[in-house]
Amino acid sequence: MTNLGQPRQSGHHIRGSASAPVEGRLFERRSPVSGAVVARYADGTAEDVDRAAQAARAAFDTGPWPRMSGAQRAKILLRWARLIGDNAEELARLEVEEVGKTVRFARGDAAGMADLTEYAATLAYEVHGDAYTNLGERHSAVVHREPMGVVGLIVPWNFPGLIYCQKVPFALAAGNSVVVKPSEFTSATALKLTQLAEEAGVPAGVINVVTGTGPVVGQSLVAHPQVDMISFTGSTAVGRKVLEAAAAGPKRAHVELGSKAANIVFADADLEDALDGTLFGIFFNQGECCVSGARLLVQESIADSFVERLVARTRALRVGDPLDERTDVGALIHGDHLASVVRHVARGQEEGARLLTGGARQDVAGLPEGCFMQLTILDQVSERMAVFQQEIFGPVLVVTRFKDEDEAVALANASSYGLANAVWTRSLDTSIRMARRLRSGTVYVNTQIDGAVQLPFGGCKGSGFGREMGRAGLEEFTQTKSVMVHIGKRVPFFGAKGE
Ligand code: TXE
């Protein structure tokens, strides 16, 4: 069972953990696996956001963090990365308990948190500007690369720790201070990671965490006048609200939103690898993954046999208790989300899609309140259907057949989203052409949901804009300042006096 013991109880983390008593109203987080209360968190208010923003402001305006050398910040961030590694099993188990993801993959998430932090630390050495020494004898200019100031970070529930680490260490490496708002379903790892950061030497006030709901805490954070920039990951609907509120500032906003990635299988692919990748692409993290390969586009000549094998392999996967090491797919985040996934499948069938397997809530022995979903495949799906266009964010794969490369490109790009797509082929030419023609921030070739901390990650079209990870992921949290210097006695701007 996934309950680690007594429910945890935490207040916000403002200006250092010691100064954050649990006071005021609390909200509960119930395990999506057992239904038991696993945690109680402070239900944040606009006043809490104000305290956190003022703490971050003071840390930025007068504290040591932005005044340290890049090397000093790097050393602290490296210590943080090591502490994350030392606490990886606890971080993984907190994720299992609140998200419902399997412990096997949650361990991968925890390792990723340490890797991201370590990489961000190395970037801290390299945050620098530019010099222009080619402006003639009388001028010289330098371009500073400076932190944005106070950054508000809004994090979703599907990869709470990993997405925190795609944002916070990078913002910190550049010298910013931050206010983090975790999802109300998954606050544990943000609080734990922040506590570890301070243990590593990040000064109090540099990272503040306010728990609570989106409409109260999230909205107050975006609107707060002391917050210079927002970085948001979540749904497209909320992303629009965040952009509207940021425009009123105006302030910079970086948004990573929904997706409906295509997983394109050509007849010449290594079909065993493609099968394995297709399964992982849709069922990893219960399909609650922004880059899930949720639309299988398969070439007509191999489609029937490929889909038949896919259904057989899908039925062999284990859905169940995420703490059981043999489990492949855990629970969805909460009951309302499970109901929404089931509704999407029913709508697909109404629109003419053919249900090949799954389609309903899954019973798991001993876990009657678990939010489990049967692994689902819908065939005969066309471009005009809602299940082809809308992000379901669950273990539901929709299948569409294509004749040739042009049709595959047209179908893949017939989406309002553009975060990621995958291509399976043995042809080098096809893979390069496809990588160029697909409209998304990432293209996987003969792999799925793969990457490296050095690679920028983000979307185009309705999936948002801005990048996380890579050098770009640090520069996102900086701005330039041009300093123009005149050398020697000036020739007067308005000519010499008395002339
Ligand atoms: O997202 P929300 P939810 C998609 C996916 C999923 C759907 C809903 O399709 O089914 O979004 O998920 C905070 N001002 N993705 O409900 O509501 C909220 O508290 C400011 C894709 O979790 O967008 C949480 O911290 N903030 C995705 C965060 O925004 C607000 C990951 C995301 O919540 C707010 C997750 C407001 N008015 C869901 N309202 C991805 N790209 O990976 C809510 N929030």
Side-chain angles (χ1 to χ4, degrees), residues 153-159 163 181-186 212-222 230 232-239 241-242 245 256-259 288-291 333-334 337 340-341 344 390-394 417 419 457 463:
L153 304 171
I154 301 178
V155 179
W157 46 256
N158 55 341
F159 292 95
I163 294 176
K181 186 245 170 287
S183 163
E184 49 275 47
F185 302 110
T186 55
T213 65
V216 177
V217 176
Q219 219 152 297
S220 313
L221 185 58
V222 180
I230 291 291
F232 169 86
T233 303
S235 63
T236 302
V238 174
K241 285 190 199 166
V242 165
E256 203 261 271
L257 309 172
S259 162
E288 295 169 324
C289 192
C290 52
V291 291
I333 190 74
H334 52 64
H337 185 54
S340 133
V341 173
H344 275 288
Q390 293 177 5
E391 183 175 46
I392 299 175
F393 224 57
Y417 295 116
L419 191 60
F457 175 75
S463 293

Short mmCIF file of all heavy atoms in Angstrom, two decimals, residues 153-159 163 181-186 212-222 230 232-239 241-242 245 256-259 288-291 333-334 337 340-341 344 390-394 417 419 457 463, ligand 1:
data_model
loop_
_atom_site.label_atom_id
_atom_site.label_comp_id
_atom_site.label_asym_id
_atom_site.label_seq_id
_atom_site.Cartn_x
_atom_site.Cartn_y
_atom_site.Cartn_z
N LEU A 153 6.90 30.47 -10.24
CA LEU A 153 6.95 29.20 -10.97
C LEU A 153 5.72 28.37 -10.62
O LEU A 153 5.50 28.07 -9.44
CB LEU A 153 8.22 28.44 -10.58
CG LEU A 153 9.53 29.23 -10.81
CD1 LEU A 153 10.71 28.49 -10.21
CD2 LEU A 153 9.77 29.47 -12.28
N ILE A 154 4.93 28.03 -11.62
CA ILE A 154 3.70 27.26 -11.37
C ILE A 154 3.87 25.87 -11.98
O ILE A 154 4.17 25.72 -13.16
CB ILE A 154 2.48 28.00 -11.96
CG1 ILE A 154 2.37 29.38 -11.31
CG2 ILE A 154 1.20 27.18 -11.76
CD1 ILE A 154 1.24 30.25 -11.83
N VAL A 155 3.71 24.86 -11.12
CA VAL A 155 4.11 23.48 -11.46
C VAL A 155 2.87 22.58 -11.45
O VAL A 155 2.02 22.72 -10.57
CB VAL A 155 5.15 23.00 -10.40
CG1 VAL A 155 5.59 21.58 -10.67
CG2 VAL A 155 6.37 23.94 -10.37
N PRO A 156 2.76 21.65 -12.40
CA PRO A 156 1.61 20.74 -12.43
C PRO A 156 1.84 19.47 -11.63
O PRO A 156 2.88 19.32 -10.97
CB PRO A 156 1.49 20.42 -13.92
CG PRO A 156 2.89 20.39 -14.40
CD PRO A 156 3.65 21.40 -13.56
N TRP A 157 0.93 18.50 -11.74
CA TRP A 157 0.95 17.32 -10.87
C TRP A 157 1.55 16.08 -11.51
O TRP A 157 1.74 15.07 -10.84
CB TRP A 157 -0.47 16.97 -10.38
CG TRP A 157 -1.55 16.99 -11.44
CD1 TRP A 157 -2.49 17.98 -11.61
CD2 TRP A 157 -1.82 16.00 -12.44
NE1 TRP A 157 -3.32 17.65 -12.66
CE2 TRP A 157 -2.93 16.45 -13.19
CE3 TRP A 157 -1.24 14.78 -12.79
CZ2 TRP A 157 -3.47 15.74 -14.26
CZ3 TRP A 157 -1.77 14.06 -13.87
CH2 TRP A 157 -2.88 14.54 -14.58
N ASN A 158 1.81 16.08 -12.81
CA ASN A 158 2.20 14.81 -13.44
C ASN A 158 3.67 14.44 -13.19
O ASN A 158 4.00 13.28 -13.02
CB ASN A 158 1.87 14.81 -14.94
CG ASN A 158 2.47 15.97 -15.68
OD1 ASN A 158 2.85 16.98 -15.08
ND2 ASN A 158 2.56 15.86 -16.98
N PHE A 159 4.56 15.45 -13.16
CA PHE A 159 5.97 15.23 -12.80
C PHE A 159 6.36 16.35 -11.83
O PHE A 159 7.16 17.23 -12.18
CB PHE A 159 6.87 15.27 -14.04
CG PHE A 159 6.66 14.11 -14.98
CD1 PHE A 159 5.81 14.22 -16.05
CD2 PHE A 159 7.31 12.90 -14.75
CE1 PHE A 159 5.58 13.14 -16.90
CE2 PHE A 159 7.10 11.82 -15.59
CZ PHE A 159 6.24 11.94 -16.67
N ILE A 163 9.55 18.62 -12.91
CA ILE A 163 9.26 19.92 -13.53
C ILE A 163 9.75 21.05 -12.60
O ILE A 163 10.27 22.07 -13.09
CB ILE A 163 7.77 20.04 -13.91
CG1 ILE A 163 7.48 19.02 -15.03
CG2 ILE A 163 7.42 21.46 -14.37
CD1 ILE A 163 6.03 18.92 -15.48
N LYS A 181 4.66 27.63 -6.82
CA LYS A 181 3.32 27.16 -6.47
C LYS A 181 3.15 25.75 -7.05
O LYS A 181 2.97 25.57 -8.25
CB LYS A 181 2.25 28.10 -7.05
CG LYS A 181 0.86 27.75 -6.61
CD LYS A 181 0.07 27.34 -7.82
CE LYS A 181 -1.25 26.73 -7.54
NZ LYS A 181 -1.21 25.38 -6.99
N PRO A 182 3.25 24.72 -6.17
CA PRO A 182 3.05 23.36 -6.67
C PRO A 182 1.57 23.11 -6.93
O PRO A 182 0.71 23.87 -6.47
CB PRO A 182 3.55 22.49 -5.52
CG PRO A 182 3.55 23.34 -4.31
CD PRO A 182 3.50 24.78 -4.72
N SER A 183 1.28 22.02 -7.64
CA SER A 183 -0.13 21.64 -7.82
C SER A 183 -0.70 21.27 -6.46
O SER A 183 -0.02 20.68 -5.62
CB SER A 183 -0.22 20.44 -8.76
OG SER A 183 -1.49 19.84 -8.62
N GLU A 184 -1.97 21.58 -6.26
CA GLU A 184 -2.63 21.26 -4.98
C GLU A 184 -2.73 19.74 -4.76
O GLU A 184 -2.97 19.28 -3.65
CB GLU A 184 -4.01 21.91 -4.89
CG GLU A 184 -4.93 21.74 -6.08
CD GLU A 184 -4.70 22.77 -7.19
OE1 GLU A 184 -3.54 23.02 -7.56
OE2 GLU A 184 -5.70 23.30 -7.71
N PHE A 185 -2.52 18.95 -5.83
CA PHE A 185 -2.58 17.49 -5.67
C PHE A 185 -1.22 16.91 -5.26
O PHE A 185 -1.15 15.80 -4.77
CB PHE A 185 -3.04 16.84 -6.98
CG PHE A 185 -4.38 17.35 -7.43
CD1 PHE A 185 -4.51 18.16 -8.54
CD2 PHE A 185 -5.52 17.04 -6.70
CE1 PHE A 185 -5.74 18.66 -8.92
CE2 PHE A 185 -6.76 17.53 -7.07
CZ PHE A 185 -6.88 18.35 -8.19
N THR A 186 -0.16 17.66 -5.49
CA THR A 186 1.18 17.09 -5.31
C THR A 186 2.16 18.14 -4.78
O THR A 186 3.00 18.64 -5.52
CB THR A 186 1.71 16.57 -6.68
OG1 THR A 186 1.65 17.66 -7.60
CG2 THR A 186 0.91 15.41 -7.21
N GLY A 212 -1.48 25.50 -2.24
CA GLY A 212 -2.88 25.93 -2.34
C GLY A 212 -3.40 25.81 -3.75
O GLY A 212 -2.78 25.17 -4.60
N THR A 213 -4.53 26.45 -4.00
CA THR A 213 -5.23 26.25 -5.27
C THR A 213 -4.74 27.22 -6.36
O THR A 213 -4.19 28.29 -6.06
CB THR A 213 -6.74 26.48 -5.10
OG1 THR A 213 -6.93 27.86 -4.75
CG2 THR A 213 -7.32 25.57 -4.03
N GLY A 214 -5.03 26.85 -7.60
CA GLY A 214 -4.65 27.69 -8.73
C GLY A 214 -5.35 29.04 -8.74
O GLY A 214 -4.69 30.08 -8.85
N PRO A 215 -6.70 29.03 -8.63
CA PRO A 215 -7.40 30.32 -8.71
C PRO A 215 -7.00 31.32 -7.63
O PRO A 215 -7.10 32.52 -7.83
CB PRO A 215 -8.88 29.92 -8.59
CG PRO A 215 -8.92 28.51 -9.08
CD PRO A 215 -7.61 27.89 -8.66
N VAL A 216 -6.56 30.83 -6.45
CA VAL A 216 -6.16 31.76 -5.38
C VAL A 216 -4.64 32.00 -5.42
O VAL A 216 -4.17 33.11 -5.72
CB VAL A 216 -6.61 31.25 -3.99
CG1 VAL A 216 -6.13 32.21 -2.90
CG2 VAL A 216 -8.12 31.09 -3.94
N VAL A 217 -3.88 30.94 -5.14
CA VAL A 217 -2.41 31.12 -5.03
C VAL A 217 -1.79 31.41 -6.40
O VAL A 217 -1.02 32.36 -6.56
CB VAL A 217 -1.76 29.88 -4.38
CG1 VAL A 217 -0.24 30.03 -4.35
CG2 VAL A 217 -2.30 29.67 -2.98
N GLY A 218 -2.18 30.60 -7.41
CA GLY A 218 -1.59 30.76 -8.75
C GLY A 218 -1.88 32.14 -9.31
O GLY A 218 -0.99 32.86 -9.77
N GLN A 219 -3.16 32.52 -9.24
CA GLN A 219 -3.56 33.81 -9.81
C GLN A 219 -2.92 34.98 -9.09
O GLN A 219 -2.47 35.94 -9.72
CB GLN A 219 -5.08 33.92 -9.78
CG GLN A 219 -5.63 34.57 -11.02
CD GLN A 219 -7.05 34.08 -11.30
OE1 GLN A 219 -7.28 32.90 -11.55
NE2 GLN A 219 -7.99 35.00 -11.21
N SER A 220 -2.86 34.90 -7.73
CA SER A 220 -2.24 36.02 -6.98
C SER A 220 -0.76 36.12 -7.33
O SER A 220 -0.20 37.23 -7.36
CB SER A 220 -2.32 35.80 -5.47
OG SER A 220 -3.58 35.41 -5.09
N LEU A 221 -0.14 34.97 -7.57
CA LEU A 221 1.30 34.98 -7.89
C LEU A 221 1.53 35.68 -9.24
O LEU A 221 2.42 36.52 -9.38
CB LEU A 221 1.80 33.53 -7.94
CG LEU A 221 3.28 33.30 -8.15
CD1 LEU A 221 4.10 33.99 -7.06
CD2 LEU A 221 3.60 31.80 -8.15
N VAL A 222 0.71 35.33 -10.23
CA VAL A 222 0.89 35.92 -11.56
C VAL A 222 0.67 37.44 -11.49
O VAL A 222 1.38 38.21 -12.12
CB VAL A 222 -0.07 35.29 -12.60
CG1 VAL A 222 0.14 35.91 -13.97
CG2 VAL A 222 0.13 33.78 -12.67
N ILE A 230 6.87 34.97 -14.97
CA ILE A 230 6.15 33.73 -14.62
C ILE A 230 6.61 32.62 -15.55
O ILE A 230 6.76 32.83 -16.76
CB ILE A 230 4.62 33.93 -14.78
CG1 ILE A 230 4.07 34.89 -13.72
CG2 ILE A 230 3.87 32.60 -14.74
CD1 ILE A 230 4.08 34.36 -12.29
N PHE A 232 5.16 28.83 -16.34
CA PHE A 232 3.98 28.00 -16.05
C PHE A 232 4.01 26.72 -16.86
O PHE A 232 4.27 26.75 -18.06
CB PHE A 232 2.71 28.81 -16.40
CG PHE A 232 1.44 27.99 -16.41
CD1 PHE A 232 0.72 27.79 -15.24
CD2 PHE A 232 0.97 27.41 -17.59
CE1 PHE A 232 -0.45 27.03 -15.25
CE2 PHE A 232 -0.20 26.66 -17.60
CZ PHE A 232 -0.91 26.47 -16.42
N THR A 233 3.72 25.59 -16.23
CA THR A 233 3.46 24.34 -16.96
C THR A 233 2.11 23.83 -16.52
O THR A 233 1.85 23.69 -15.32
CB THR A 233 4.54 23.28 -16.65
OG1 THR A 233 5.83 23.82 -16.99
CG2 THR A 233 4.31 22.01 -17.47
N GLY A 234 1.24 23.54 -17.48
CA GLY A 234 -0.10 23.05 -17.14
C GLY A 234 -0.98 23.04 -18.37
O GLY A 234 -0.50 22.94 -19.50
N SER A 235 -2.29 23.16 -18.13
CA SER A 235 -3.25 23.05 -19.23
C SER A 235 -3.26 24.31 -20.10
O SER A 235 -2.92 25.41 -19.65
CB SER A 235 -4.64 22.79 -18.67
OG SER A 235 -5.03 23.90 -17.88
N THR A 236 -3.71 24.13 -21.32
CA THR A 236 -3.79 25.27 -22.25
C THR A 236 -4.81 26.30 -21.74
O THR A 236 -4.58 27.51 -21.84
CB THR A 236 -4.16 24.75 -23.66
OG1 THR A 236 -3.16 23.82 -24.04
CG2 THR A 236 -4.22 25.87 -24.68
N ALA A 237 -5.92 25.81 -21.16
CA ALA A 237 -6.96 26.74 -20.68
C ALA A 237 -6.39 27.65 -19.59
O ALA A 237 -6.58 28.88 -19.64
CB ALA A 237 -8.15 25.95 -20.15
N VAL A 238 -5.69 27.07 -18.63
CA VAL A 238 -5.13 27.90 -17.55
C VAL A 238 -3.96 28.73 -18.09
O VAL A 238 -3.78 29.89 -17.70
CB VAL A 238 -4.71 27.03 -16.34
CG1 VAL A 238 -4.00 27.87 -15.30
CG2 VAL A 238 -5.92 26.35 -15.72
N GLY A 239 -3.20 28.16 -19.02
CA GLY A 239 -2.10 28.90 -19.63
C GLY A 239 -2.58 30.22 -20.23
O GLY A 239 -1.92 31.26 -20.11
N LYS A 241 -5.17 31.97 -19.25
CA LYS A 241 -5.46 32.90 -18.14
C LYS A 241 -4.17 33.51 -17.61
O LYS A 241 -4.12 34.69 -17.27
CB LYS A 241 -6.15 32.15 -16.99
CG LYS A 241 -7.58 31.82 -17.24
CD LYS A 241 -8.19 31.31 -15.95
CE LYS A 241 -9.46 30.53 -16.26
NZ LYS A 241 -9.94 29.75 -15.14
N VAL A 242 -3.14 32.68 -17.50
CA VAL A 242 -1.84 33.15 -16.98
C VAL A 242 -1.29 34.22 -17.91
O VAL A 242 -0.81 35.28 -17.46
CB VAL A 242 -0.85 31.96 -16.84
CG1 VAL A 242 0.57 32.44 -16.65
CG2 VAL A 242 -1.28 31.05 -15.69
N ALA A 245 -3.24 37.49 -17.50
CA ALA A 245 -2.88 38.20 -16.26
C ALA A 245 -1.47 38.77 -16.37
O ALA A 245 -1.20 39.88 -15.88
CB ALA A 245 -2.99 37.24 -15.07
N GLU A 256 4.37 26.26 -20.87
CA GLU A 256 4.48 24.92 -21.46
C GLU A 256 3.13 24.25 -21.24
O GLU A 256 2.74 24.00 -20.10
CB GLU A 256 5.61 24.15 -20.77
CG GLU A 256 6.17 23.03 -21.62
CD GLU A 256 5.59 21.68 -21.24
OE1 GLU A 256 6.16 21.03 -20.38
OE2 GLU A 256 4.55 21.32 -21.83
N LEU A 257 2.41 24.01 -22.35
CA LEU A 257 0.99 23.64 -22.22
C LEU A 257 0.73 22.21 -22.71
O LEU A 257 1.61 21.38 -22.67
CB LEU A 257 0.15 24.67 -22.97
CG LEU A 257 0.47 26.14 -22.60
CD1 LEU A 257 -0.23 27.11 -23.51
CD2 LEU A 257 0.13 26.40 -21.14
N GLY A 258 -0.48 21.99 -23.17
CA GLY A 258 -0.88 20.63 -23.54
C GLY A 258 -0.24 20.14 -24.82
O GLY A 258 0.57 20.84 -25.46
N SER A 259 -0.60 18.92 -25.19
CA SER A 259 -0.01 18.33 -26.38
C SER A 259 -0.86 17.15 -26.85
O SER A 259 -1.73 16.66 -26.11
CB SER A 259 1.41 17.87 -26.04
OG SER A 259 1.89 16.96 -26.98
N GLU A 288 -0.21 10.25 -18.49
CA GLU A 288 -0.32 11.62 -17.96
C GLU A 288 1.03 12.31 -18.18
O GLU A 288 1.74 12.65 -17.24
CB GLU A 288 -0.67 11.59 -16.48
CG GLU A 288 -2.04 11.00 -16.19
CD GLU A 288 -2.25 10.73 -14.71
OE1 GLU A 288 -1.30 10.34 -14.00
OE2 GLU A 288 -3.38 10.91 -14.25
N CYS A 289 1.34 12.51 -19.42
CA CYS A 289 2.66 13.00 -19.76
C CYS A 289 2.47 13.98 -20.92
O CYS A 289 1.78 13.65 -21.89
CB CYS A 289 3.47 11.78 -20.20
SG CYS A 289 5.19 12.06 -20.35
N CYS A 290 3.09 15.16 -20.82
CA CYS A 290 2.81 16.15 -21.86
C CYS A 290 3.34 15.69 -23.23
O CYS A 290 2.83 16.12 -24.25
CB CYS A 290 3.35 17.52 -21.48
SG CYS A 290 5.06 17.48 -21.01
N VAL A 291 4.34 14.80 -23.25
CA VAL A 291 4.86 14.34 -24.54
C VAL A 291 4.37 12.93 -24.90
O VAL A 291 4.91 12.30 -25.81
CB VAL A 291 6.41 14.39 -24.58
CG1 VAL A 291 6.90 15.82 -24.57
CG2 VAL A 291 7.02 13.62 -23.42
N ILE A 333 -4.48 10.61 -11.47
CA ILE A 333 -4.26 11.57 -10.38
C ILE A 333 -5.44 11.71 -9.41
O ILE A 333 -5.27 11.86 -8.23
CB ILE A 333 -3.86 12.96 -10.95
CG1 ILE A 333 -3.38 13.90 -9.85
CG2 ILE A 333 -4.99 13.60 -11.76
CD1 ILE A 333 -2.04 13.61 -9.31
N HIS A 334 -6.69 11.67 -9.93
CA HIS A 334 -7.85 11.73 -9.04
C HIS A 334 -9.10 11.25 -9.80
O HIS A 334 -9.07 11.07 -11.03
CB HIS A 334 -8.07 13.13 -8.44
CG HIS A 334 -8.10 14.25 -9.43
ND1 HIS A 334 -9.06 14.38 -10.40
CD2 HIS A 334 -7.26 15.31 -9.61
CE1 HIS A 334 -8.83 15.47 -11.11
NE2 HIS A 334 -7.73 16.04 -10.67
N HIS A 337 -10.51 13.18 -12.80
CA HIS A 337 -9.71 13.02 -14.02
C HIS A 337 -9.99 11.66 -14.66
O HIS A 337 -10.14 11.56 -15.89
CB HIS A 337 -8.22 13.18 -13.70
CG HIS A 337 -7.36 13.16 -14.92
ND1 HIS A 337 -7.56 14.00 -16.01
CD2 HIS A 337 -6.32 12.37 -15.29
CE1 HIS A 337 -6.68 13.74 -16.95
NE2 HIS A 337 -5.92 12.74 -16.54
N SER A 340 -13.10 11.87 -16.53
CA SER A 340 -12.96 12.63 -17.78
C SER A 340 -12.30 11.75 -18.87
O SER A 340 -12.68 11.81 -20.04
CB SER A 340 -12.19 13.92 -17.51
OG SER A 340 -11.16 14.13 -18.44
N VAL A 341 -11.34 10.90 -18.46
CA VAL A 341 -10.70 10.01 -19.44
C VAL A 341 -11.74 9.02 -20.00
O VAL A 341 -11.82 8.80 -21.22
CB VAL A 341 -9.50 9.27 -18.79
CG1 VAL A 341 -8.92 8.22 -19.73
CG2 VAL A 341 -8.41 10.27 -18.39
N HIS A 344 -13.94 10.75 -22.52
CA HIS A 344 -13.28 10.93 -23.82
C HIS A 344 -13.42 9.68 -24.67
O HIS A 344 -13.70 9.75 -25.87
CB HIS A 344 -11.79 11.23 -23.62
CG HIS A 344 -11.48 12.67 -23.39
ND1 HIS A 344 -11.57 13.63 -24.39
CD2 HIS A 344 -11.06 13.33 -22.29
CE1 HIS A 344 -11.21 14.80 -23.89
NE2 HIS A 344 -10.90 14.66 -22.62
N GLN A 390 -8.09 16.28 -29.03
CA GLN A 390 -8.00 16.77 -27.65
C GLN A 390 -7.03 15.96 -26.80
O GLN A 390 -6.94 14.74 -26.96
CB GLN A 390 -9.39 16.75 -27.00
CG GLN A 390 -10.31 17.77 -27.65
CD GLN A 390 -11.72 17.72 -27.09
OE1 GLN A 390 -12.00 16.99 -26.15
NE2 GLN A 390 -12.61 18.51 -27.69
N GLU A 391 -6.38 16.65 -25.89
CA GLU A 391 -5.47 15.96 -24.97
C GLU A 391 -6.32 15.22 -23.94
O GLU A 391 -7.09 15.83 -23.21
CB GLU A 391 -4.57 16.98 -24.27
CG GLU A 391 -3.55 16.33 -23.36
CD GLU A 391 -2.56 17.32 -22.75
OE1 GLU A 391 -3.01 18.38 -22.27
OE2 GLU A 391 -1.37 17.03 -22.75
N ILE A 392 -6.17 13.90 -23.89
CA ILE A 392 -6.95 13.09 -22.93
C ILE A 392 -6.17 12.96 -21.63
O ILE A 392 -6.72 12.96 -20.54
CB ILE A 392 -7.29 11.71 -23.54
CG1 ILE A 392 -8.15 11.91 -24.81
CG2 ILE A 392 -8.02 10.84 -22.52
CD1 ILE A 392 -8.45 10.63 -25.58
N PHE A 393 -4.85 12.85 -21.73
CA PHE A 393 -3.97 12.80 -20.56
C PHE A 393 -4.24 11.57 -19.72
O PHE A 393 -4.35 11.63 -18.50
CB PHE A 393 -4.13 14.08 -19.73
CG PHE A 393 -2.80 14.65 -19.26
CD1 PHE A 393 -1.82 14.99 -20.16
CD2 PHE A 393 -2.54 14.86 -17.90
CE1 PHE A 393 -0.60 15.52 -19.73
CE2 PHE A 393 -1.34 15.39 -17.47
CZ PHE A 393 -0.37 15.72 -18.40
N GLY A 394 -4.36 10.45 -20.41
CA GLY A 394 -4.58 9.17 -19.75
C GLY A 394 -4.11 8.06 -20.68
O GLY A 394 -3.65 8.34 -21.80
N TYR A 417 -1.66 21.50 -31.31
CA TYR A 417 -0.50 21.44 -30.42
C TYR A 417 0.80 21.22 -31.20
O TYR A 417 0.77 20.81 -32.36
CB TYR A 417 -0.67 20.29 -29.43
CG TYR A 417 -1.81 20.47 -28.47
CD1 TYR A 417 -2.89 19.59 -28.48
CD2 TYR A 417 -1.81 21.50 -27.55
CE1 TYR A 417 -3.95 19.75 -27.57
CE2 TYR A 417 -2.84 21.67 -26.66
CZ TYR A 417 -3.92 20.79 -26.67
OH TYR A 417 -4.94 20.95 -25.77
N LEU A 419 4.20 20.02 -29.29
CA LEU A 419 5.24 19.84 -28.26
C LEU A 419 6.26 18.79 -28.70
O LEU A 419 7.47 19.02 -28.63
CB LEU A 419 4.60 19.44 -26.94
CG LEU A 419 5.49 19.47 -25.71
CD1 LEU A 419 6.05 20.86 -25.46
CD2 LEU A 419 4.73 19.00 -24.46
N PHE A 457 13.79 22.11 -24.15
CA PHE A 457 12.49 21.45 -24.21
C PHE A 457 11.38 22.49 -24.16
O PHE A 457 11.39 23.38 -23.30
CB PHE A 457 12.35 20.49 -23.02
CG PHE A 457 11.00 19.84 -22.94
CD1 PHE A 457 10.66 18.83 -23.81
CD2 PHE A 457 10.07 20.26 -22.00
CE1 PHE A 457 9.40 18.23 -23.75
CE2 PHE A 457 8.82 19.68 -21.93
CZ PHE A 457 8.49 18.66 -22.81
N SER A 463 0.99 24.50 -27.87
CA SER A 463 1.75 23.93 -26.74
C SER A 463 2.57 24.98 -26.00
O SER A 463 3.27 24.64 -25.04
CB SER A 463 2.67 22.80 -27.23
OG SER A 463 1.89 21.72 -27.68
O1 TXE B 1 -3.90 21.60 -14.95
P1 TXE B 1 -3.97 23.10 -14.53
P2 TXE B 1 -4.53 20.36 -14.21
C1 TXE B 1 -3.17 19.23 -18.93
C2 TXE B 1 -3.77 17.84 -19.05
C3 TXE B 1 -4.65 17.75 -17.84
C4 TXE B 1 -5.16 19.15 -17.76
C5 TXE B 1 -5.64 19.56 -16.41
O2 TXE B 1 -4.56 17.78 -20.20
O3 TXE B 1 -5.69 16.83 -17.97
O4 TXE B 1 -4.06 19.95 -18.14
O5 TXE B 1 -4.62 19.36 -15.44
C6 TXE B 1 -2.31 25.98 -11.40
N1 TXE B 1 -3.81 30.82 -12.27
N2 TXE B 1 -1.87 19.22 -18.29
O6 TXE B 1 -5.91 20.54 -13.71
O7 TXE B 1 -5.29 23.38 -13.91
C7 TXE B 1 -2.65 24.66 -10.74
O8 TXE B 1 -2.95 24.84 -9.37
C8 TXE B 1 -2.58 30.33 -12.02
C9 TXE B 1 -0.73 19.32 -19.15
O9 TXE B 1 -3.53 20.01 -13.22
O10 TXE B 1 -3.52 23.87 -15.70
C10 TXE B 1 -1.41 23.86 -11.02
O11 TXE B 1 -0.38 24.22 -10.10
N3 TXE B 1 -2.35 29.03 -11.81
C11 TXE B 1 0.52 19.49 -18.43
C12 TXE B 1 -1.03 24.31 -12.42
O12 TXE B 1 -1.65 25.59 -12.59
C13 TXE B 1 -3.39 28.16 -11.88
C14 TXE B 1 0.67 19.08 -17.04
C15 TXE B 1 -1.52 23.39 -13.52
O13 TXE B 1 -2.90 23.17 -13.34
C16 TXE B 1 -4.70 28.62 -12.14
C17 TXE B 1 -0.55 19.05 -16.31
C18 TXE B 1 -4.89 30.02 -12.36
N4 TXE B 1 -6.09 30.53 -12.63
C19 TXE B 1 -1.76 19.11 -16.95
N5 TXE B 1 -5.53 27.54 -12.16
C20 TXE B 1 1.81 19.45 -19.14
N6 TXE B 1 2.03 20.37 -20.08
O14 TXE B 1 2.64 18.63 -18.83
C21 TXE B 1 -4.76 26.45 -11.92
N7 TXE B 1 -3.47 26.84 -11.73
#
